Amino acid sequence: MTPQSDVSLQALNTLAVPARARYLTPANSIEDLREALAFARERALPSLILGGGSNIVLSGDFDGVVIPLQLRGITCLTEQEDWVELSVAAGENWDDFVRYSLAQGWFGLENLSAIPGNVGAAPIQNIGAYGVELSSVLTSVVGLDLETGAERRLSREDCELAYRDSIFKGALRDRFVITEVGLKLSKVANTNLSYPALAAEVDASASPQEVSAAVRAVRARKLPSPAELPNAGSFFKNPIVSSEQADTLREIHPTLPMWPHNGQYKLAAGWLVEQAGWRGRSGEGEQAGVGIFREQALVLINPGRCPGRRILQFASEIQASVHAQFSVNLDIEPRVY
Ligand code: FAD
Ligand code: NAP
């Protein structure tokens, strides 16, 4: 393992932020990973485990060791008549894995088609789309506990998966490197068309492969490809508010979309950003080169390939204006470094 020094990260983050890493050392095996972590520890430097770089904002150069995790492999642990249990290495590309599982006749991931990034990052924010979350198929996670250096298996419950959230964003943040993800997939088709935007695309009898194709088609229509227009998907999380706050908001803004969510309410962040006047708008002056995508107000775009600092200033203007108009706090979804 010979870490490279002073490396550009621009091609390694989908916002195309032109930040640099003090060191970069890819890990193709657990041994590589341990060596890279030791290299960082010996120099008292922070480390950043990198997947596809589709959910991060680099606010400046990273004065530490960036470790692209490239562990590969898909292992079938158990196969029964109706289901399979798999262990998937963290460096597998998520969407390649979705395509592979569908081709095997293993179902449950069709609504999660075309999400960028790697398998190892999927539990971090419990990826979700079109009414399905990773939590519906995840069985366990294996990884390195950075405090003890020991390999550890976490059960599904241990992962504390919630709406775009998990223990890896909380108590185990920066403390655990996911090396394998355990998933249980069904051999029986049982599609979920609960999202109107998806139901409008296919028949109720659609196969999982047809649902996957429909998800790909809608996403291609609505979302910018990071290769053409740098972005990190939804930049803001849909806020979860109390029933009381939801009642107040509903009275003042009867068209604000909201959905019941575990005794609270989930608000459409995209609607709030749009109503505050940001949809299709570009930053000016200090924030030139950054903007909000015209087709979807939740997506912040970086056509100017600007530094993360400028992105965050632009985002904070949006957060302030949404708060001023609706008294709702918008949190940034990608992890900021
Ligand atoms: P990275 O950006 O590389 O990393 C994200 C965070 O996870 C970082 O903090 C990193 O250190 C940490 N991390 C990564 N791998 C590991 C590991 N193995 N162990 C420990 N920590 C790790 N998300 C959704 O939920 N639903 C969507 O529908 C969706 N659509 C998107 C569409 C577009 C166009 C884009 C650009 C993004 C979208 N996202 C979506 C966000 C993103 O794709 C997901 O969050 C994805 O799981 C991030 O994977 P990644 O490998 O790129 O993670
Ligand atoms: P959409 O279908 O236009 O819906 C807009 C918002 O309304 C979404 O945030 C969604 O919440 C919510 N919503 C719609 N119907 C709902 C229902 N029946 N019940 C509960 N909530 C409902 O969204 P879109 O932008 O085209 O994205 C489609 C899907 O892909 C969404 O699930 C979205 O989360 C996911 N996606 C995520 C990212 C990301 O980076 N996180 C990026 C692109 C797309 P949810 O977000 O909770 O689903």
Side-chain angles (χ1 to χ4, degrees):
M1 184 207 74
T2 315
Q4 294 168 260
S5 50
D6 189 25
V7 184
S8 169
L9 297 172
Q10 191 160 29
L12 301 182
N13 73 98
T14 62
L15 273 165
V17 165
R20 302 187 77 79
R22 179 147 163 200
Y23 294 106
L24 182 132
T25 179
N28 293 299
S29 64
I30 302 286
E31 294 68 43
D32 285 354
L33 173 62
R34 284 192 187 278
E35 275 186 46
L37 292 167
F39 178 87
R41 213 171 32 248
E42 283 154 15
R43 287 158 185 78
L45 290 173
S47 50
L48 192 175
I49 303 296
L50 195 61
S54 64
N55 216 20
I56 55 170
V57 184
L58 298 163
S59 62
D61 292 340
F62 187 75
D63 190 20
V65 184
V66 174
I67 309 173
L69 199 56
Q70 298 176 347
L71 312 174
R72 307 300 297 267
I74 301 171
T75 310
C76 183
L77 302 173
T78 315
E79 179 154 14
Q80 298 285 335
E81 200 182 328
D82 287 352
W83 54 269
V84 285
E85 191 166 350
L86 309 168
S87 171
V88 189
E92 290 289 337
N93 173 272
W94 173 261
D95 193 43
D96 288 349
F97 170 63
V98 171
R99 289 180 194 272
Y100 171 82
S101 63
L102 279 168
Q104 304 302 310
W106 301 336
F107 309 128
L109 301 179
E110 45 279 1
N111 294 38
L112 303 178
S113 297
I115 298 180
N118 290 353
V119 167
I124 306 281
Q125 74 157 358
N126 181 25
I127 55 169
Y130 299 100
V132 172
E133 291 180 344
L134 181 76
S135 56
S136 63
V137 292
L138 185 128
T139 52
S140 64
V141 154
V142 175
L144 289 189
D145 185 324
L146 300 187
E147 247 168 44
T148 62
E151 188 176 86
R152 196 171 150 196
R153 176 180 295 275
L154 302 183
S155 69
R156 185 182 170 288
E157 290 67 35
D158 293 336
C159 294
E160 296 177 9
L161 302 173
Y163 182 63
R164 307 288 190 268
D165 199 14
S166 72
I167 194 166
F168 309 107
K169 285 179 140 187
L172 290 186
R173 179 173 164 147
D174 295 329
R175 257 201 57 187
F176 195 87
V177 181
I178 296 173
T179 55
E180 284 170 49
V181 176
L183 301 167
K184 185 175 174 181
L185 300 180
S186 176
K187 289 163 110 180
V188 181
N190 183 17
T191 55
N192 178 333
L193 297 179
S194 59
Y195 259 41
L198 182 54
E201 291 286 313
V202 287
D203 292 343
S205 60
S207 66
Q209 289 83 354
E210 287 167 331
V211 172
S212 172
V215 168
R216 290 176 194 287
V218 187
R219 292 181 71 105
R221 277 204 307 270
K222 282 189 76 171
L223 294 170
S225 156
E228 287 154 26
L229 199 48
N231 75 89
S234 303
F235 200 82
F236 300 105
K237 270 197 276 192
N238 285 331
I240 310 292
V241 302
S242 66
S243 309
E244 294 74 31
Q245 192 178 357
D247 287 345
T248 310
L249 283 164
R250 205 180 292 111
E251 247 176 59
I252 311 171
H253 311 284
T255 56
L256 163 51
M258 58 175 78
W259 297 268
H261 186 89
N262 302 332
Q264 298 180 293
Y265 278 86
K266 177 182 86 178
L267 311 179
W271 187 93
L272 298 170
V273 174
E274 182 173 346
Q275 295 298 307
W278 292 96
R279 180 167 161 169
R281 210 163 123 187
S282 297
E284 288 160 16
E286 285 283 289
Q287 283 111 48
V290 182
I292 289 293
F293 190 49
R294 190 162 296 284
E295 308 303 321
Q296 166 53 289
L298 258 193
V299 179
L300 185 151
I301 52 174
N302 186 22
R305 291 163 170 75
C306 300
R309 188 177 16 88
R310 205 181 291 183
I311 293 174
L312 294 170
Q313 279 164 1
F314 183 66
S316 71
E317 280 193 23
I318 297 174
Q319 288 169 309
S321 81
V322 165
H323 190 267
Q325 196 167 336
F326 301 101
S327 304
V328 172
N329 290 320
L330 280 187
D331 290 332
I332 292 177
E333 184 178 287
R335 171 92 191 264
V336 177
Y337 287 93

